[in-house]
């Protein structure tokens, strides 16, 4: 009798928490890789970042960790590339990448999975931790929860930057750094 009661109690707790070790699809997952704190946002967050995916998906933490482990090397490579005139000014790009690289420990990363041309990709949105702190002029409840809500800013310079990562090939496909107003 006690065994059945104990089993029923364990089963009830497991069901209440989304099953045997599985999280509900809208439950954010968080972690830390190196000096990056990260949060995997719900797959439905892709459109908030301006993505128009074929579909969306929620990444596993191991995939995020693999992507973040390669960021420094990717930034080093970005400082070596030469842009053509249509892409922009090489010197300005190198300066912007240098600014990001120097602040790496200060960023938190939001991650959302999306599908583009049949490939499962990750959109990594990096936000300087100071930008996530409530400001004295904020209204109560105005400040976003970076673990749950996409943090989208149109300017802000190197406090905000993004990369797209392809876990299938373990490569970064593109990078953008916000401009300054």
């Amino acid at each position: 009798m006690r065994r059945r009661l104990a089993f029923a109690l364990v089963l009830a707790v497991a069901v209440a928490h989304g099953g045997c070790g599985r999280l509900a699809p809208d439950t954010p997952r968080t972690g830390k890789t190196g000096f990056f704190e990260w949060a995997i946002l719900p797959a439905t967050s892709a459109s908030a970042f301006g993505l128009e995916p074929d579909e969306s998906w929620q990444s596993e933490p191991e995939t995020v960790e693999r992507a973040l482990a390669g960021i420094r090397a990717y930034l080093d490579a970005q400082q070596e590339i030469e842009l053509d005139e249509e892409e922009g000014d090489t010197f300005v790009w190198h300066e912007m990448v240098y600014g990001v690289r120097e602040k790496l420990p200060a960023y938190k990363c939001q991650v959302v999975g999306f599908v583009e041309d049949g490939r499962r990709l990750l959109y990594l949105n990096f936000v300087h931790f100071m930008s996530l702190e409530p400001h004295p002029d904020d209204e109560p409840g105005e400040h976003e929860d970076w673990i749950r809500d996409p943090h989208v800013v149109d300017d802000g310079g190197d406090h905000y930057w993004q990369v797209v990562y392809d876990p299938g090939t373990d490569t970064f496909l593109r990078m953008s750094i916000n401009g300054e107003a």
Side-chain angles (χ1 to χ4, degrees), residues 4-174:
R4 275 193 263 172
L5 184 57
F7 177 75
L9 182 60
V10 168
L11 183 60
V13 169
V15 169
H17 290 282
C20 301
R22 298 186 63 154
L23 297 173
D26 61 346
T27 302
R29 297 188 211 174
T30 60
K32 187 166 183 165
T33 301
F35 40 69
F36 290 117
E37 285 184 63
W38 51 263
I40 300 172
L41 301 181
T44 55
S45 300
S47 62
F49 291 113
L51 301 170
E52 296 179 12
D54 302 333
E55 61 183 277
S56 53
W57 62 287
Q58 194 168 31
S59 176
E60 293 298 322
E62 298 78 22
T63 306
V64 174
E65 291 169 352
R66 195 170 74 235
L68 292 174
I71 285 290
R72 186 179 299 273
Y74 178 70
L75 292 174
D76 289 346
Q78 289 296 303
Q79 288 190 278
E80 301 298 322
I81 66 168
E82 295 294 325
L83 303 176
D84 63 31
E85 288 182 25
E86 291 179 14
E87 294 175 312
D89 185 304
T90 298
F91 178 76
V92 171
W93 179 249
H94 289 175
E95 288 294 308
M96 292 171 72
V97 171
Y98 179 80
V100 165
R101 196 173 182 294
E102 290 300 301
K103 295 178 183 87
L104 273 184
Y107 294 104
K108 294 187 181 198
C109 181
Q110 296 180 310
V111 181
V112 66
F114 68 104
V115 177
E116 182 178 87
D117 298 326
R119 294 187 300 178
R120 286 182 149 206
L121 304 174
L122 291 182
Y123 183 84
L124 288 81
N125 183 47
F126 292 88
V127 180
H128 194 284
F129 80 94
M130 292 291 290
S131 302
L132 298 169
E133 298 295 321
H135 190 272
D137 296 336
D138 288 348
E139 295 292 324
E142 178 181 342
H143 206 70
E144 299 172 333
D145 177 1
W146 79 273
I147 291 173
R148 297 185 187 290
D149 302 321
H151 194 85
V152 179
V153 177
D154 292 328
D155 57 10
D158 61 15
H159 275 218
Y160 307 95
W161 56 285
Q162 305 77 35
V163 295
V164 173
Y165 173 75
D166 183 343
T169 61
D170 194 27
T171 57
F172 294 95
L173 304 179
R174 55 189 177 266

